Amino acid sequence: MTLSESRAFLLLLLSFVLLSSLSPLVFYSFLEEKLHTLNSYPGAPRRNISILLWHWPFGRPYRLDGDRCLEMYNISGCFLTDNTSAFSTADVVVFHHQELGRGVSSLPLHLSRPASQHWVWMSLEPPHNNANLTQLNGFFNWTMSYRRDADISIPYGKTMLGGEKKVIQAAPNRSCPVSWVVSRYKSNQARSVVYQRLRNYIHIEVYGKWNKKPLSDKELLPTISKCLFYLSFENSEAKDYISEKLWRNAFQAGAVPVVLGPSRATYEALAPPDSFIHVLDYKSIAELAEHLKHVAADRQAYEKYLQWHHTHRIKTYTDWRERLCQICVRFPRLPARQVYLDLEGWVKM
Ligand SMILES: *[C@@H]1O[C@H](CO)[C@@H](O)[C@H](O)[C@H]1NC(C)=O
Ligand SMILES: *[C@@H]1O[C@H](CO)[C@@H](O)[C@H](O)[C@H]1NC(C)=O
Ligand SMILES: *[C@@H]1O[C@H](CO)[C@@H](O)[C@H](O)[C@H]1NC(C)=O
Ligand SMILES: *[C@@H]1O[C@H](CO)[C@@H](O)[C@H](O)[C@H]1NC(C)=O
């Protein structure tokens, strides 16, 4: 071997050593990237996710100490905080719409936002309660709402398979045909128009602030359960907007809901089968009243609306912490890169 030959050999050896030490590096960073996507498979080890809630919805705080998602909902690796100084390390920052009244100036735009951080726009209100949206275009990566097409869909309630042990008794001793709880009555709302006409045909017990018969949380369900039907009338008609007026007030009380809100198709997709009476299925309010009277007088007809209790049950969501923990459940499947350039258009859709 000449000197130049041995030099060439040495060079070859050196580059081999270099390459073999380099390629695992390349390989590992590739693997790491793959592992991140692998996290989306059930059972895979998940990295911890930190969620910062920027304002408490409606200014009412809940306790966040300890590992709330694990302790309360059995969701691991999911940490909630309301300490805004955690901004720079949060994976997700959640903004509840009602506290963004000052528009853009309510957002922490003065802070440097980590490139991988996702901002969530959250609201459980129907579109007409979400003012000043235009200013918020282009800041949010994900939406969180009752809507099925939200990135993180958090409905007021949902239908689960599997019946309840306690079966609701059919019309045993119900002392009243129809009840309704309303606090903010506005005469121009569709629900008020339907109520005013319906009361000409059938007696309706009205509770709530409007009628000066407010019900405490404790009284609510027992009172509604004394009546055969409950008016689950939404304050506005909006895509997928079905509130606790159906899930809690009617279903949990065991009253048959008379619904006014989105289309029958939406209720069919979300509520248990044959569980409701839809106002718009009737040509007139007189016909609706006729149907209610017929069902009230016919035990078998009434029981048909309660059959679902044998095969389905209801889950309601009421605690903001449970909703926030849901972000971690969806996290691996959420779109990595996304911006709502037209948030207003999405909300008003
Ligand atoms: C996740 O958080 C838990 C509890 O703080 C900690 O024990 C664990 O090491 C963390 N895991 C990762 C991957 O950071
Ligand atoms: C909308 O924004 C304006 C100014 O930014 C503010 O004065 C007004 O109160 C806001 N409206 C609501 C309903 O938040
Ligand atoms: C049902 O009504 C009857 C007669 O009014 C009464 O005696 C009975 O206690 C009632 N049962 C229930 C469960 O309310
Ligand atoms: C989130 O949205 C912002 C727009 O405000 C954008 O600059 C950023 O790249 C988005 N982040 C991700 C991870 O998609």
Side-chain angles (χ1 to χ4, degrees):
M1 223 192 285
T2 64
L3 197 69
S4 63
E5 268 176 341
S6 58
R7 264 202 197 132
F9 179 69
L10 219 86
L11 212 77
L12 201 79
L13 195 80
L14 205 77
S15 47
F16 179 74
V17 169
L18 251 168
L19 260 174
S20 55
S21 63
L22 202 84
S23 59
L25 253 178
V26 175
F27 180 63
Y28 278 127
S29 70
F30 166 80
L31 201 72
E32 202 170 45
E33 217 180 280
K34 285 289 140 203
L35 269 171
H36 190 75
T37 15
L38 267 175
N39 277 350
S40 55
Y41 297 110
R46 226 179 39 195
R47 70 180 185 89
N48 288 339
I49 299 162
S50 61
I51 296 171
L52 167 60
L53 180 64
W54 196 254
H55 304 104
W56 276 105
F58 310 108
R60 289 193 293 271
Y62 290 67
R63 291 184 59 173
L64 291 183
D65 56 324
D67 191 344
R68 290 282 161 176
C69 293
L70 185 65
E71 287 159 15
M72 298 173 75
Y73 310 110
N74 202 25
I75 296 167
S76 62
C78 187
F79 297 91
L80 310 180
T81 181
D82 54 5
N83 185 347
T84 52
S85 66
F87 179 81
S88 63
T89 55
D91 296 303
V92 179
V93 185
V94 180
F95 299 90
H96 182 249
H97 183 78
Q98 261 61 35
E99 286 72 43
L100 298 180
R102 286 178 298 114
V104 178
S105 58
S106 321
L107 296 173
L109 299 180
H110 56 290
L111 299 177
S112 130
R113 175 173 174 181
S116 62
Q117 188 176 78
H118 290 88
W119 284 16
V120 176
W121 177 87
M122 173 170 78
S123 175
L124 287 179
E125 295 295 313
H128 81 101
N129 285 350
N130 290 328
N132 284 351
L133 275 162
T134 326
Q135 308 173 31
L136 301 177
N137 288 343
F139 292 109
F140 294 96
N141 308 102
W142 294 331
T143 52
M144 193 163 165
S145 118
Y146 54 79
R147 260 166 63 180
R148 280 175 284 174
D149 60 353
D151 296 299
I152 303 131
S153 176
I154 37 163
Y156 284 85
K158 68 177 180 187
T159 304
M160 318 270 285
L161 275 179
E164 295 149 337
K165 285 187 192 76
K166 175 193 120 201
V167 170
I168 300 282
Q169 283 225 323
N173 270 12
R174 308 227 199 169
S175 51
C176 89
V178 186
S179 75
W180 190 33
V181 179
V182 59
S183 44
R184 279 182 291 275
Y185 179 94
K186 291 199 183 109
S187 58
N188 61 346
Q189 287 178 340
R191 61 176 184 176
S192 309
V193 174
V194 173
Y195 160 73
Q196 289 296 347
R197 291 194 197 144
L198 189 59
R199 66 191 282 262
N200 295 326
Y201 304 99
I202 194 164
H203 178 71
I204 303 171
E205 287 285 349
V206 182
Y207 299 93
K209 257 185 258 163
W210 175 58
N211 206 28
K212 299 193 176 64
K213 282 203 234 163
L215 296 173
S216 68
D217 279 356
K218 257 180 147 174
E219 294 168 317
L220 182 75
L221 297 186
T223 306
I224 293 173
S225 67
K226 291 203 180 85
C227 305
L228 291 166
F229 303 101
Y230 181 77
L231 303 184
S232 294
F233 288 4
E234 302 302 346
N235 58 25
S236 63
E237 189 199 321
K239 186 184 168 86
D240 290 351
Y241 182 59
I242 302 178
S243 72
E244 80 293 343
K245 295 173 182 73
L246 178 79
W247 302 107
R248 183 191 52 180
N249 298 15
F251 285 152
Q252 289 193 331
V256 171
V258 180
V259 302
L260 184 68
S263 66
R264 161 169 275 278
T266 302
Y267 282 97
E268 276 177 358
L270 299 173
D274 303 317
S275 60
F276 60 89
I277 293 168
H278 198 296
V279 170
L280 300 186
D281 283 347
Y282 300 88
K283 284 199 211 81
S284 65
I285 298 302
E287 252 183 50
L288 168 66
E290 270 316 301
H291 181 70
L292 295 182
K293 283 182 185 167
H294 159 74
V295 173
D298 180 339
R299 194 183 170 112
Q300 268 186 340
Y302 186 77
E303 275 179 353
K304 276 196 189 139
Y305 289 103
L306 299 175
Q307 280 297 312
W308 65 267
H309 286 277
H310 296 285
T311 49
H312 297 73
R313 67 201 139 86
I314 295 300
K315 158 147 186 64
T316 58
Y317 291 92
T318 53
D319 191 312
W320 287 103
R321 291 170 294 194
E322 180 167 24
R323 296 177 179 131
L324 292 169
C325 297
Q326 285 298 315
I327 298 175
C328 295
V329 177
R330 316 286 163 85
F331 192 85
R333 278 166 289 138
L334 289 169
R337 304 215 66 82
Q338 178 172 269
V339 182
Y340 278 84
L341 294 174
D342 184 11
L343 181 66
E344 177 171 46
W346 185 83
V347 171
K348 302 268 149 95
M349 194 194 290

